[in-house]
Amino acid sequence: MHFEKDLGLKDKSVSLKEKLEQLNSSIEIEAFSLEIDEKKIGMFKESDVLVDCLDNFQTRYLLNEFSLKEKIPLIHAAVEAYYGQITTIIPGKTPCIKCLFPNIPNKGGMFPIIGPNCGVVGSLEAMEVIKVLTGIGETLSGKLLTVNLKFMEFETINFKRNEDCSVCSEYF
Ligand SMILES: [Zn+2]
């Protein structure tokens, strides 16, 4: 979605908006380039679904809490190198991100990512969004799909709520 000519000239959000509008001129896109914090996240209150394409757990936890508080479904996905993971959080029904990852994974600085992995995991995440919005098919709610493209392994793991979860316990 980003071309060489965009490098250093535009925010990623603006570059992405331009490409998506060229793909489909009938959709309306608003692009924001900002760091999400506890105040700014309120701008997503009217959303039908939240899509986590984040690169850090601090903001991911913030999005998780917002999803629960506002009862808005949240699709989580993350990628690193050949690995990817996806799950769907339905507030008040499924475990939350904090149940799954109670602590921020210990990572040092930058991590590698291979383009096609973003394509595969991003497409799977988009599929989850369509299923949540249409109600058609079975979502990954309560299930974590892991993808290891180095060995072409796809695995689905069922996970349960942490009864003592510091975040979602008050919503059950
Ligand atoms: Zn939880």
Side-chain angles (χ1 to χ4, degrees):
M1 285 293 178
H2 305 293
F3 304 153
E4 278 190 353
K5 68 177 175 66
D6 303 317
L7 289 173
L9 296 172
K10 292 172 191 154
D11 283 325
K12 274 197 290 189
S13 59
V14 174
S15 166
L16 186 60
K17 178 182 190 294
E18 285 175 6
K19 307 307 185 311
L20 291 172
E21 284 170 343
Q22 288 169 50
L23 276 173
N24 184 347
S25 60
S26 67
I27 53 173
E28 198 176 299
I29 300 166
E30 278 183 89
F32 303 97
S33 189
L34 46 87
E35 221 161 275
I36 298 295
D37 59 24
E38 275 151 31
K39 268 189 184 167
K40 289 181 202 144
I41 202 163
M43 67 195 283
F44 302 119
K45 259 187 176 175
E46 303 299 315
S47 304
D48 296 311
V49 63
L50 300 165
V51 186
D52 165 15
C53 311
L54 296 161
D55 60 3
N56 71 85
F57 263 84
Q58 284 88 351
T59 317
R60 190 164 277 143
Y61 284 158
L62 195 62
L63 197 62
N64 181 51
E65 285 187 49
F66 182 75
S67 153
L68 290 161
K69 200 172 122 226
E70 300 297 332
K71 298 184 174 54
I72 305 172
L74 167 63
I75 320 296
H76 156 75
V79 285
E80 181 176 343
Y82 303 92
Y83 177 83
Q85 62 190 34
I86 311 158
T87 188
T88 292
I89 314 293
I90 308 293
K93 289 191 180 155
T94 67
C96 78
I97 287 183
K98 194 82 174 174
C99 292
L100 192 56
F101 306 104
N103 302 303
I104 293 178
N106 192 10
K107 292 183 188 281
M110 302 213 305
F111 50 86
I113 177 65
I114 296 174
N117 189 18
C118 295
V120 168
V121 176
S123 293
L124 291 169
E125 188 174 29
M127 198 65 230
E128 282 297 287
V129 173
I130 291 167
K131 286 190 285 180
V132 165
L133 291 176
T134 61
I136 295 171
E138 197 178 308
T139 65
L140 287 166
S141 51
K143 291 178 250 176
L144 181 73
L145 172 66
T146 63
V147 173
N148 186 337
L149 296 182
K150 190 169 190 180
F151 302 104
M152 286 302 176
E153 289 172 347
F154 290 70
E155 197 177 351
T156 305
I157 304 155
N158 292 315
F159 66 101
K160 288 189 176 147
R161 256 199 75 228
N162 171 4
E163 301 291 325
D164 303 319
C165 176
S166 61
V167 176
C168 68
S169 291
E170 67 174 290
Y171 299 98
F172 281 85

